[in-house]
Amino acid sequence: MHNIKDTTLMNTCSYINGNWHKSDSSFKVLNPATGELIVQVSDAGADEATLAVQAAKSAFKSWSAKPAHERANLLRNWFNLMMTHQEDLARILTLEQGKSLAEAKGEIAYGASFIEWFAEESKRVYGDTIPSLSANQKVIVIKQAIGVVAAITPWNFPNAMIARKAAAALAAGCTFVVRPAAQTPLSALAMAELAQRAGIPAGVFNVVVGEKASEIGQVLTTHPDIAKFTFTGSTAVGKMLIKQCASTVKKVSMELGGNAPFIVFNDADIDEAVKGAINSKYRNAGQTCVCTNRIFVQKDVLTVFTEKFTAAVAKLTVGNGLNDHTDIGPLITSDAVDGVAKLVDESISQGAVLAMGGKRHQAGSHFYQPTILTQVTHDMTIAHSEIFGPVSTIIAFEDEADVIAMANDTEYGLAAYFYSRDIGRVWRVAQALEYGMVGINEGLISNAAAPFGGVKQSGNGREGSKYGLDDYLEIKYLCMGGIE
Ligand code: NAP
């Protein structure tokens, strides 16, 4: 089926308490490149979400009590299985999400790398002893798993957005319930299949797949047995879910939208800047939260950068992600294509100049041409909208102070990029940019060792790195008295 060698990775039911749970109705999972039906998936709702929370609650006591190295070994098994099945997992991912097979393989390796990373980090959850103010007391700090974690994840990274959260949660000793986006449930279910094979006990990792996002979301944000809620998605939905979590005062972390500036200073290495801009803009057809959204180019290098960048974009191949040589796949829905087309048309009517593309692509109803708009200005709608498509906007600037002001003039603060070889400028600009992550002469910045996350309305909390476990741990202070 679909050239997937291990067809048992293609599951169609929610995975709850170690079992595949069939629901009464089903929904369609479509291939965004062709519109074809891939498979019908059992449509879970609030009842199944509640069952999954109960399973996670029951499993918590024994999972959190396991010695860290035992949890680490199981996570390591899961990592190994994901890498063994990288090709099949990538194919499933491309089928339901659209990105090129090469990018999908990269996402599987990236997702798995968080499982490997946190398997190792789980052994290093250290506490503290603090010198006491009193002679007969000892002050000790321990860290404990927070409890049941619920997650909601988006369609743009159907594997990695789950892996980044689940790996840290399970490593910390938490149990986990995830509801993936309805467009991309298959990658999540394939992860569940491999978690089961890895020996991760029933109830520790649960996947609830269903079309009724708000119904399942209501359970996952209000159930009193859930201690922590973690979300990756749009800022608008994130804000609503934070409010829902308030009723039971859950610990919350949010990975939300972005409006990344990409700044090219006069002293930049232009070829490197072009390479970085291509990587950070056109990956996943422009549908990533850290995608470059605004390219600011200093006046002296505007012409040379634009020429070289346009030549590089012209080489990108659009098509079905399963075809060899595809660089840019489809957008996730035809609504997404409509949204991108509207933004481009509006920009042109506001004075932007079309340097390339600007139309729907002949490959199908979900495709849009790689596009470059020049003479964009900071006051245009597109400069303040998350484009989420293969469209670059080039904005000219005069000096450092101007560009920093424009770059920071957004409610978002996820990723920013800039290119310069002046060491003084590098420090000044790195410090001045109000973003959680800054790529300096680098367009691809995310990896398991680094803390991923945003400031302002791009969210809170960090995923990956030595800091990533903190979101899943509580600090407990022990005051031992009566010590002579
Ligand atoms: P979205 O509409 O917010 O959806 C994200 C997830 O929330 C999906 O699973 C969606 O389910 C679910 N959802 C939607 N409405 C809900 C509700 N009322 N209650 C509970 N769940 C609900 O975001 P999107 O447009 O699909 O995804 C793209 C966004 O994610 C962009 O803004 C992007 O920047 C952001 N993102 C951020 C990061 C990061 O790490 N900061 C990473 C990736 C993406 P359905 O899809 O089934 O409706």
Side-chain angles (χ1 to χ4, degrees):
M1 182 168 55
H2 305 294
N3 285 332
I4 291 158
K5 290 191 205 87
D6 182 349
T7 51
T8 58
L9 291 171
M10 281 284 265
N11 288 293
T12 56
C13 297
S14 291
Y15 180 71
I16 300 171
N17 206 17
N19 296 308
W20 300 102
H21 191 99
K22 201 165 168 39
S23 309
D24 296 335
S25 55
S26 65
F27 65 97
K28 292 177 179 165
V29 181
L30 304 176
N31 180 338
T34 60
E36 285 163 5
L37 176 70
I38 306 169
V39 80
Q40 293 270 147
V41 168
S42 228
D43 192 12
D47 290 348
E48 289 87 346
T50 307
L51 276 180
V53 176
Q54 285 163 352
K57 165 104 171 148
S58 304
F60 176 71
K61 199 165 170 203
S62 60
W63 180 251
S64 58
K66 264 189 199 303
H69 76 271
E70 286 184 24
R71 287 200 301 270
N73 288 341
L74 294 172
L75 286 170
R76 183 88 208 173
N77 292 345
W78 198 17
F79 160 77
N80 287 333
L81 284 166
M82 278 179 51
M83 292 312 293
T84 304
H85 294 281
Q86 183 182 15
E87 182 79 33
D88 275 351
L89 294 175
R91 205 161 265 280
I92 292 170
L93 202 160
T94 294
L95 273 173
E96 65 178 350
Q97 200 275 341
K99 67 180 65 174
S100 73
L101 206 47
E103 276 194 37
K105 276 190 215 163
E107 177 177 341
I108 301 303
Y110 172 75
S113 74
F114 285 87
I115 298 176
E116 181 186 44
W117 173 268
F118 283 113
E120 291 158 4
E121 282 299 293
S122 67
K123 301 173 208 163
R124 299 181 193 105
V125 178
Y126 302 131
D128 270 318
T129 56
I130 299 174
S132 168
L133 296 182
S134 151
N136 64 352
Q137 280 184 343
K138 294 285 177 209
V139 175
I140 298 163
V141 172
I142 61 169
K143 291 184 183 171
Q144 291 181 303
I146 189 165
V148 175
V149 173
I152 294 181
T153 52
W155 48 265
N156 61 348
F157 289 91
N159 174 292
M161 294 303 99
I162 296 173
R164 260 185 2 193
K165 297 177 189 300
L170 268 54
C174 298
T175 52
F176 194 80
V177 178
V178 61
R179 188 263 172 195
Q183 292 100 331
T184 56
L186 303 178
S187 295
L189 295 172
M191 288 177 78
E193 168 69 28
L194 295 180
Q196 189 176 46
R197 289 188 206 170
I200 292 174
V204 171
F205 179 76
N206 305 276
V207 181
V208 178
V209 289
E211 259 193 325
K212 299 175 278 285
S214 61
E215 183 182 310
I216 299 171
Q218 193 67 31
V219 175
L220 300 186
T221 51
T222 60
H223 197 297
D225 288 338
I226 294 171
K228 184 198 160 81
F229 178 75
T230 170
F231 175 72
T232 297
S234 63
T235 296
V237 173
K239 284 180 186 174
M240 200 176 63
L241 298 177
I242 293 171
K243 279 191 198 149
Q244 289 176 205
C245 285
S247 65
T248 47
V249 195
K250 298 194 191 313
K251 188 167 175 172
V252 169
S253 53
M254 292 276 147
E255 296 287 351
L256 306 176
N259 181 4
F262 185 104
I263 307 169
V264 184
F265 287 102
N266 284 342
D267 62 275
D269 178 327
I270 298 299
D271 292 327
E272 282 300 311
V274 167
K275 214 189 296 169
I278 294 283
N279 283 336
S280 70
K281 173 71 248 183
Y282 290 98
R283 202 161 55 98
N284 203 8
Q287 303 170 110
T288 88
C289 53
V290 291
C291 263
T292 286
N293 214 51
R294 300 168 286 162
I295 302 178
F296 293 101
V297 187
Q298 203 161 11
K299 288 255 163 85
D300 289 357
V301 292
L302 181 62
T303 306
V304 60
F305 176 85
T306 306
E307 281 172 7
K308 289 188 173 197
F309 183 61
T310 307
V313 175
K315 290 188 186 141
L316 298 174
T317 307
V318 178
N320 187 323
L322 293 174
N323 297 343
D324 287 345
H325 311 304
T326 289
D327 299 304
I328 300 188
L331 299 191
I332 191 71
T333 57
S334 54
D335 282 355
V337 178
D338 292 345
V340 168
K342 185 166 172 249
L343 263 181
V344 169
D345 294 346
E346 196 173 341
S347 305
I348 293 167
S349 72
Q350 289 172 348
V353 172
L354 193 60
M356 174 181 287
K359 291 198 180 67
R360 291 158 201 269
H361 194 278
Q362 64 203 21
S365 62
H366 287 206
F367 290 85
Y368 196 82
Q369 295 177 339
T371 295
I372 301 175
L373 293 168
T374 58
Q375 298 184 37
V376 174
T377 54
H378 180 59
D379 55 355
M380 290 181 189
T381 313
I382 199 163
H384 299 275
S385 313
E386 200 178 11
I387 301 171
F388 247 58
V391 177
S392 293
T393 60
I394 298 185
I395 305 174
F397 73 93
E398 296 278 354
D399 65 35
E400 192 179 303
D402 282 349
V403 78
I404 287 171
M406 287 191 284
N408 286 341
D409 184 21
T410 164
E411 70 266 29
Y412 295 115
L414 192 58
Y417 310 86
F418 70 91
Y419 279 69
S420 167
R421 286 175 293 186
D422 173 331
I423 193 159
R425 167 174 284 156
V426 164
W427 273 112
R428 277 194 310 276
V429 176
Q431 287 190 305
L433 287 170
E434 295 165 357
Y435 288 82
M437 299 173 282
V438 181
I440 303 165
N441 299 321
E442 188 53 76
L444 288 176
I445 54 177
S446 181
N447 61 70
F452 189 103
V455 299
K456 295 161 78 176
Q457 293 188 33
S458 287
N460 51 46
R462 292 293 181 270
E463 293 186 341
S465 82
K466 67 172 183 172
Y467 308 103
L469 277 182
D470 294 346
D471 277 0
Y472 300 93
L473 293 166
E474 288 287 20
I475 286 176
K476 186 181 275 179
Y477 152 51
L478 310 178
C479 180
M480 291 176 67
I483 292 168
E484 297 301 326

